[in-house]
Amino acid sequence: MLIKSIKEMKEIIKEEKAKGKNVGLVPTMGYLHKGHVSLIRCSKKENDITVVSIFVNPIQFGKNEDLDKYPRDINRDFYFCKEEGVDYVFYPSYKEMYPEGYSTYVEVEGLTEGLCGAFRPGHFRGVTTVVNKLFNIVNPDRAYFGKKDYQQFKVIQKMVKDLNMDVEVVGCPLIREEDGLALSSRNKYLSSEQRKSALSLSKALFHAKKLFEKGETNPEKIKKEMEKLISSYPYVKDIQYIEIIHPETLKPKEKVEKGDVIALAVYVGDTRLIDNIKL
Ligand code: PAF
């Protein structure tokens, strides 16, 4: 069922909860792919009711980012959700979420400062604000996020802990195409030639993991090799960052250890791609 009104969504959830049902929420910006489907399947397995929200959240995009061209196809998304047995699709308008005079924001400090946060000022403030609103509207017992956005996943977990919210934040594995490309709605922007260059991200991550497994623990050496590999591909415009971080603090490591995460953001053409791997 497609729900556009906050009031209606809240009433439905109240009724479901009164019947003793627990609720899983999969927050998305639409243009669903197999990564989203895996989140939906996780939620279906663990909850009586699954809600998918579809909302391209303007306040998490910077001025020069891709808000206007972000891919949208609600009919296709709705069809996907139906196929997967989603109970409710929450699809609010901008005005419904941010009516005139809206002025409240949620901000997690610390974890949002490095990595993507350093290059996308205000991005995580937009994410935590909308996720907070979605949690208040859908009142989920569990909410599902992909670990492709590893920093986002940790930031949301921290928000829930710091604000004593009664929702379990579940992180689901990053899903790749067979050739290694991490699934993302933004892959749609890539031409077929650019897509070949986009493979450099996962290739560099796999290579780094091998180096570590062979005994390399110097982050600078690993990062240098990754940089060399990625920049050897055409269409790679800018390597924004390659960082080897602690999985909880997200702080760069001086000596690489098992369990650390390598995260990177790279522009291929005009498309900003992110990816990561856990060692
Ligand atoms: O990961 C996303 O698609 C978005 O950042 C989210 C969590 C739906 C918030 O708009």
Side-chain angles (χ1 to χ4, degrees):
M1 207 198 305
L2 190 67
I3 315 288
K4 293 185 173 182
S5 127
I6 293 174
K7 187 164 171 268
E8 193 185 345
M9 188 74 252
K10 282 186 147 189
E11 277 165 7
I12 287 171
I13 296 295
K14 225 184 233 167
E15 281 166 22
E16 296 286 8
K17 291 222 158 176
K19 288 186 226 156
K21 303 280 171 78
N22 55 30
V23 176
L25 170 65
V26 181
T28 81
M29 299 207 297
Y31 214 74
L32 305 180
H33 50 65
K34 281 182 275 176
H36 296 114
V37 169
S38 80
L39 303 181
I40 292 171
R41 290 186 182 166
C42 262
S43 172
K44 293 267 306 167
K45 228 184 261 166
E46 297 176 355
N47 303 280
D48 303 315
I49 299 289
T50 289
V51 179
V52 172
S53 65
I54 298 178
F55 180 63
V56 182
N57 176 35
I59 68 164
Q60 72 184 72
F61 288 80
K63 268 205 185 94
N64 299 315
E65 293 185 356
D66 56 343
L67 172 62
D68 292 337
K69 67 168 188 176
Y70 196 85
R72 293 161 168 91
D73 191 342
I74 186 63
N75 292 327
R76 177 177 163 279
D77 288 345
F78 194 44
Y79 175 78
F80 246 129
C81 288
K82 235 179 165 173
E83 287 281 289
E84 290 298 324
V86 169
D87 299 281
Y88 302 101
V89 177
F90 180 53
Y91 178 57
S93 67
Y94 173 73
K95 267 204 166 152
E96 184 73 2
M97 290 295 273
Y98 301 111
E100 220 180 293
Y102 186 90
S103 65
T104 303
Y105 299 88
V106 178
E107 197 157 356
V108 173
E109 295 180 353
L111 288 184
T112 56
E113 280 158 21
L115 309 170
C116 289
F119 293 91
R120 303 186 70 189
H123 167 67
F124 286 114
R125 176 182 187 255
V127 170
T128 42
T129 299
V130 81
V131 169
N132 203 312
K133 283 172 71 71
L134 291 167
F135 285 180
N136 285 334
I137 295 162
V138 177
N139 190 16
D141 297 276
R142 296 182 192 84
Y144 296 81
F145 296 88
K147 285 193 186 163
K148 185 181 76 91
D149 300 279
Y150 189 77
Q151 188 178 16
Q152 168 173 282
F153 165 60
K154 296 314 287 182
V155 166
I156 290 167
Q157 258 189 345
K158 185 75 166 52
M159 171 185 80
V160 162
K161 179 168 178 264
D162 284 353
L163 296 181
N164 315 101
M165 300 169 95
D166 280 329
V167 49
E168 183 189 336
V169 178
V170 184
C172 301
L174 183 158
I175 307 284
R176 300 183 182 282
E177 303 277 12
E178 253 171 50
D179 57 8
L181 184 66
L183 290 185
S184 162
S185 304
R186 288 189 168 97
N187 292 347
K188 170 156 172 39
Y189 299 146
L190 301 167
S191 69
S192 63
E193 286 306 306
Q194 287 173 337
R195 196 189 171 288
K196 285 182 200 157
S197 290
L199 291 177
S200 65
L201 280 78
S202 52
K203 285 208 161 89
L205 289 168
F206 298 149
H207 178 58
K209 193 166 186 222
K210 268 201 191 125
L211 289 176
F212 171 70
E213 283 164 358
K214 278 190 194 152
E216 183 58 73
T217 58
N218 180 335
E220 293 313 317
K221 280 195 183 152
I222 296 177
K223 280 157 61 174
K224 234 193 199 133
E225 288 239 0
M226 292 177 72
E227 218 175 295
K228 205 169 81 190
L229 191 153
I230 294 171
S231 40
S232 73
Y233 280 75
Y235 304 106
V236 171
K237 245 197 195 165
D238 182 25
I239 302 177
Q240 271 196 336
Y241 67 80
I242 300 173
E243 294 289 0
I244 306 181
I245 53 168
H246 185 280
E248 297 302 320
T249 65
L250 309 187
K251 288 264 192 292
K253 294 291 298 280
E254 279 174 14
K255 182 171 185 256
V256 186
E257 288 171 294
K258 199 171 156 63
D260 289 348
V261 173
I262 311 183
L264 76 179
V266 176
Y267 266 97
V268 176
D270 290 330
T271 306
R272 186 177 181 280
L273 300 171
I274 59 171
D275 199 347
N276 69 77
I277 203 165
K278 196 164 187 141
L279 296 176

